[in-house]
Amino acid sequence: MAVRSFQARLLYLLIAVLVLLEAGTLISVHVAGQRTLRQTVDGELQVGARVLDRILDTRARQLSESLRVLALDFPFRQAVAGADVSTVTSVLENHGSRIAADAVVLISLDGMVTADTLGGRMVGRPFPFEQMMRLAEERGEASSTVTFANRPYQFVIVPVLAPQRIAWVCAGFAIDERVLADVSRITSLELSIWSGTPNAPAERISTLPAEARNDAAYATRLRPLQTGDQSHIYTLLQRSLAEAQAPFVALELQIFGLSLALLLLAVLAAVIFARTVSRPLRVLADGAGRIERGDYVSTVVVDQQDEIGQLAGAFNQMQSAIAAREAQIIHQSTHDALTGLPNRTLFLQRVAESIAASRRIGPLGPSVGMIMMDVDRFKDINDTLGHHFGDQLLIDIGRRLSQSMSMSDTVARFGGDEFAVKFTAPTDGEATELAARVAAVFDAPFALGEVSIDVNASLGIALFPQHAADADTLMKRADIAMYDAKKNQSGSAVYEPGRDEHSLRRLSLMMELRQAIARDELQLYFQPKIDVLTERVVHVEALVRWNHSRHGVMRPDEFIPLAEQAGKIGLITKWVIRNAIAQCAAWRRDGIDLNVAVNLSALDLFDSELPTFISGLLADAGLPAAKLMLEITESAIMKDAAYAQRILADLKRRGVCLAIDDFGTGYSSLAHLKRLPVDELKIDKSFVLNLTESATDDMVIVRSTIELGHNMGLTVIAEGVETADAWRILKRLGCDMGQGYYMSPPLPVDKFNAWLAESRWGTG
């Protein structure tokens, strides 16, 4: 009787729980369905808005490309330049019909419409959309949505160049039902658009039938379009709630029917389950308790061949699977997924264990060493060969490192191209030998598929207890040593005490670089280049200085390398070019005819937008391109010679002059130099600083460089002229220009202007 009472109570409890669960499930499904419906509808409306914006943007780009074809047409530009209104109007009408434009107008540079395809209605009037004109003048072209003829239009403006800008041509395209129908077809939404101005009523265009436009059974999203004038253009996106809700209603009915059937089956199963569950459940509960305590060895034994027996078997399988997954999770949490090497967590744990073991031995314990390693130019390998080859290279590096170390050492990968090695060494000499053995891993080329490449790495070494007392500090100082090796291109470096403060200063300066431009802390200095024959200044070189609030005036070699590491060199280069061009233009307005030179970083040669940026600045300043000289070092060009040559060729086509800086210190061949579109060679100052009649080696190098440059048709400049003897020698050897402290150090613009007026080398 007691058994039956327990079974009944268990059965009632199970049925009550099942009913509550089913009810809760149905309510949750309904609530979740309504919430999902709202989210889905909102998402569809947001997607519809983005699709509309994307279609309008794509349409604007297509229109801009079509209109640019007209602007490049030579007969059209000839007609515009000759003010042949009838021919211009005919061309506008023909081209407008080809691109299905509703309105095409020609705008003079003062903003007046000189021809149109509207029967001359706009001719002789100012172009009505001033904001678009301003945007076109700033960016070179413009597109916008505006209100025109009481309807929403897309207008596109492009310049007519011959080769300077002589006019603007503008095309307008009505946003009509076809555009909205495209969006509606893609998104299943209904769209309406209308425009209005203070003096004109709104006109509505819609894909929704007129009788359904005020139907409340639609979810709506009203949003204004960004326009190029003072009018207002609105879009209304609508989604039929009945259509959106239909799948959810059907799903709820299916879930309700399925839940009811499952409830009946569950009640039947509960009746059967209640009769046999008590004893096996106790056994299973005991097994679960063992698993909770971490016992994955003992198994659950249930002598039944029914579902409970199968559950017991599944329980045992689950126990084994949990044990295997826990071991896998522990391995994944402590090892790198790509190479299988220990990761940072396990590596630091092993370093800490080795340090603790060394401490237990006492002062005679071995040193614990750490090598931090970074693969040089790994990004270039990834970009050139692809990530698959990059991953294979990392695997090969890890395998070679592991093979070169003993079983007691640890090789780890921290992520990216960064590896680390933990070792023990009785003496510092043995630590250095071990680092050399690690570096030798990179002596042989790595074979990646059919490609064989040479790879180098920068290694930083730190030792316990000489350099640090714990694992974290040891890793930090090995990392500092690695960056010293990378900076000095020495291959490897041992940590030097006191470098922490230097690294903190470098990190602080790297963080402050962006604010330096915003706070106007940068300043240009100018150093003259003197023509050897006339002994007068003809060129100046713009050199940037940083007026730091704490460190004072900082020279470029103090912060330019940091800017390159932080990825901010492009900001500084563009600031220097912008201000150098502005100052050159100011001198020209004052009657001082000087060319200005600016140094480019190696990273600047990978900026494909740089030629366009420079052309825009020169055009805005009204300065001939030949007045700007860009100086590039040989080593910068050789980082990616093919790509650098394309950028330099683009700059040369735009009329900018180019110079090879620090010539003689790079690695470029004469054949490669011959292909470069350069105008000048600058002899590196290391060959000029100590130039005297007795300095035979320097004399030979300088004379050979001058003859080489002249034979190639290049102007030759010597930098680092410090003495009158050096100046006389350069003059005798036929050098074209000289630059150095003998004539003038770099000066801020006010002092440089005074030097121009007072110095015998100046223009005064």
Side-chain angles (χ1 to χ4, degrees):
M1 188 68 179
V3 173
R4 287 196 300 272
S5 175
F6 171 75
Q7 292 176 354
R9 290 197 303 272
L10 181 59
L11 180 60
Y12 297 152
L13 176 62
L14 289 174
I15 293 175
V17 170
L18 289 171
V19 170
L20 289 175
L21 287 175
E22 292 291 346
T25 300
L26 293 174
I27 293 173
S28 299
V29 167
H30 178 74
V31 172
Q34 293 300 311
R35 182 170 60 250
T36 303
L37 173 63
R38 291 193 296 271
Q39 293 173 350
T40 300
V41 171
D42 289 341
E44 290 179 357
L45 293 174
Q46 292 176 5
V47 169
R50 290 196 293 270
V51 169
L52 176 60
D53 291 340
R54 184 64 59 84
I55 286 178
L56 292 178
D57 289 344
T58 302
R59 193 165 178 255
R61 287 195 296 270
Q62 293 171 347
L63 301 177
S64 178
E65 291 294 333
S66 300
L67 196 57
R68 201 175 290 115
V69 172
L70 172 61
L72 293 174
D73 183 67
F74 180 78
F76 173 70
R77 290 185 292 172
Q78 216 172 20
V80 172
D84 188 348
V85 176
S86 61
T87 301
V88 170
T89 303
S90 175
V91 174
L92 294 179
E93 290 175 347
N94 291 336
H95 194 77
S97 64
R98 284 200 301 271
I99 64 175
D102 298 288
V104 186
V105 299
L106 182 70
I107 309 165
S108 64
L109 294 180
D110 59 1
M112 300 299 291
V113 176
T114 59
D116 65 24
T117 61
L118 304 172
R121 294 202 305 270
M122 296 180 66
V123 175
R125 298 180 181 179
F127 185 70
F129 307 112
E130 297 180 358
Q131 185 176 344
M132 281 191 67
M133 286 301 301
R134 288 195 298 271
L135 187 61
E137 291 173 353
E138 292 174 2
R139 300 181 178 177
E141 65 177 45
S143 64
S144 184
T145 305
V146 299
T147 298
F148 183 72
N150 295 334
R151 295 190 66 182
Y153 269 68
Q154 275 187 285
F155 268 26
V156 177
I157 300 177
V158 300
V160 181
L161 306 175
Q164 299 295 325
R165 186 187 303 157
I166 60 173
W168 300 92
V169 62
C170 172
F173 302 80
I175 302 176
D176 52 20
E177 290 82 1
R178 290 176 299 174
V179 178
L180 300 186
D182 289 341
V183 181
S184 179
R185 184 169 57 255
I186 295 172
T187 62
S188 299
L189 301 178
E190 303 293 344
L191 285 91
S192 302
I193 187 169
W194 66 90
S195 61
T197 63
N199 300 320
E203 180 177 346
R204 183 170 178 178
I205 303 169
S206 179
T207 62
L208 194 66
E211 61 274 10
R213 293 183 181 178
N214 296 321
D215 193 343
Y218 281 85
T220 62
R221 183 182 182 88
L222 178 66
R223 60 191 293 271
L225 282 180
Q226 184 177 1
T227 65
D229 63 349
Q230 300 302 317
S231 62
H232 303 281
I233 299 177
Y234 298 92
T235 58
L236 181 67
L237 296 94
Q238 296 176 280
R239 179 69 165 101
S240 172
L241 293 177
E243 293 178 3
Q245 197 170 12
F248 292 89
V249 173
L251 179 62
E252 287 184 4
L253 291 175
Q254 293 174 2
I255 293 175
F256 179 79
L258 180 62
S259 299
L260 182 60
L262 291 175
L263 179 60
L264 295 175
L265 291 175
V267 170
L268 179 61
V271 173
I272 300 173
F273 179 73
R275 295 175 181 176
T276 57
V277 74
S278 56
R279 186 190 60 81
L281 280 181
R282 188 178 300 111
V283 176
L284 291 173
D286 292 341
R290 289 196 302 272
I291 292 177
E292 181 182 6
R293 294 189 295 272
D295 180 5
Y296 301 112
V297 178
S298 303
T299 59
V300 172
V301 179
V302 175
D303 296 328
Q304 292 181 217
Q305 301 302 318
D306 55 9
E307 289 83 354
I308 297 297
Q310 295 175 6
L311 178 61
F315 189 91
N316 289 330
Q317 293 176 3
M318 179 189 70
Q319 176 177 290
S320 300
I322 290 175
R325 281 196 295 272
E326 185 171 293
Q328 182 182 7
I329 290 171
I330 292 174
H331 183 273
Q332 289 177 344
S333 66
T334 56
H335 289 76
D336 175 55
L338 178 64
T339 62
L341 297 173
N343 62 10
R344 184 189 300 267
T345 302
L346 181 58
F347 181 78
L348 286 176
Q349 177 183 332
R350 292 184 179 178
V351 172
E353 291 171 354
S354 297
I355 290 175
S358 179
R359 281 201 179 106
R360 286 194 295 270
I361 296 174
L364 298 179
S367 297
V368 179
M370 182 185 296
I371 300 175
M372 293 294 294
M373 183 185 323
D374 184 78
V375 180
D376 295 339
R377 300 179 67 243
F378 179 72
K379 183 178 184 301
D380 295 341
I381 298 173
N382 248 350
D383 293 343
T384 304
L385 300 179
H387 290 279
H388 171 72
F389 286 96
D391 290 345
Q392 187 59 49
L393 174 61
L394 295 175
I395 293 172
D396 289 350
I397 291 174
R399 181 169 59 249
R400 287 193 187 181
L401 288 173
S402 299
Q403 292 172 352
S404 69
M405 307 303 293
S406 66
M407 295 295 294
S408 60
D409 299 329
T410 299
V411 177
R413 178 183 177 232
F414 287 178
D417 58 346
E418 193 172 22
F419 291 83
V421 176
K422 186 272 296 181
F423 62 91
T424 55
T427 64
D428 292 354
E430 292 189 25
T432 304
E433 292 176 3
L434 190 142
R437 190 166 75 240
V438 171
V441 164
F442 298 91
D443 290 346
F446 287 81
L448 304 178
E450 298 180 355
V451 179
S452 179
I453 61 173
D454 292 320
V455 179
N456 296 316
S458 299
L459 284 66
I461 307 167
L463 300 174
F464 165 86
Q466 294 92 321
H467 301 142
D470 58 79
D472 288 330
T473 306
L474 193 65
M475 184 175 70
K476 173 185 173 184
R477 291 179 175 173
D479 206 44
I480 291 172
M482 179 190 72
Y483 279 107
D484 285 343
K486 184 177 290 290
K487 177 183 177 182
N488 299 327
Q489 297 182 351
S490 58
S492 64
V494 179
Y495 171 77
E496 298 178 8
R499 293 294 292 166
D500 299 63
E501 294 77 7
H502 177 72
S503 296
L504 289 174
R505 182 177 185 268
R506 290 174 63 254
L507 180 61
S508 175
L509 290 175
M510 289 171 69
M511 296 175 63
E512 293 173 359
L513 272 173
R514 184 180 294 275
Q515 288 76 19
I517 298 176
R519 292 195 294 260
D520 198 25
E521 293 181 354
L522 299 184
Q523 182 181 4
L524 278 188
Y525 278 48
F526 296 92
Q527 187 174 31
K529 300 178 183 179
I530 308 301
D531 185 279
V532 172
L533 292 178
T534 64
E535 295 194 347
R536 295 288 183 176
V537 58
V538 288
H539 293 184
V540 295
E541 181 174 1
L543 301 167
V544 66
R545 299 290 189 267
W546 183 1
N547 292 323
H548 197 280
S549 56
R550 297 192 309 277
H551 305 302
V553 178
M554 299 177 63
R555 295 170 57 84
D557 52 5
E558 295 183 72
F559 63 89
I560 291 299
L562 301 181
E564 292 177 333
Q565 293 180 27
K568 298 182 176 68
I569 188 62
L571 295 175
I572 295 178
T573 298
K574 290 180 179 179
W575 184 92
V576 172
I577 293 175
R578 182 183 299 109
N579 286 273
I581 289 175
Q583 183 57 55
C584 186
W587 280 327
R588 199 160 185 258
R589 289 192 297 270
D590 294 338
I592 302 173
D593 188 19
L594 294 174
N595 290 16
V596 64
V598 174
N599 289 286
L600 289 188
S601 162
L603 297 178
D604 293 325
L605 295 180
F606 293 93
D607 183 359
S608 60
E609 300 297 326
L610 184 64
T612 304
F613 172 78
I614 292 175
S615 293
L617 292 178
L618 291 169
D620 292 342
L623 192 67
K627 289 297 179 182
L628 177 63
M629 172 71 68
L630 298 178
E631 298 184 359
I632 311 100
T633 62
E634 291 178 88
S635 56
I637 296 174
M638 295 307 295
K639 285 184 178 293
D640 189 338
Y643 191 87
Q645 192 166 350
R646 288 198 298 272
I647 296 295
L648 295 178
D650 190 0
L651 289 165
K652 186 64 178 176
R653 283 194 299 270
R654 298 169 188 262
V656 177
C657 296
L658 303 172
I660 296 294
D661 196 10
D662 300 338
F663 183 76
T665 61
Y667 307 96
S668 59
S669 66
L670 295 180
H672 178 72
L673 179 63
K674 183 179 179 181
R675 292 194 297 269
L676 295 176
V678 297
D679 304 279
E680 295 183 359
L681 287 184
K682 287 190 73 174
I683 304 174
D684 186 67
K685 62 183 178 182
S686 61
F687 306 118
V688 181
L689 285 174
N690 300 313
L691 184 63
T692 61
E693 296 292 348
S694 60
T696 307
D697 293 341
D698 288 343
M699 181 77 74
V700 170
I701 292 173
V702 171
R703 178 188 294 111
S704 300
T705 303
I706 293 172
E707 292 176 355
L708 170 67
H710 288 167
N711 289 335
M712 296 180 68
L714 304 178
T715 301
V716 181
I717 303 174
E719 60 179 345
V721 181
E722 302 282 333
T723 64
D725 287 343
W727 175 256
R728 285 192 296 270
I729 293 172
L730 290 171
K731 195 166 187 176
R732 177 168 55 82
L733 295 178
C735 188
D736 298 297
M737 280 187 276
Q739 176 183 354
Y741 277 65
Y742 175 63
M743 289 77 81
S744 172
L747 299 170
V749 65
D750 52 347
K751 293 183 179 180
F752 184 81
N753 288 335
W755 179 91
L756 281 175
E758 299 169 1
S759 173
R760 74 179 182 88
W761 312 95
T763 58

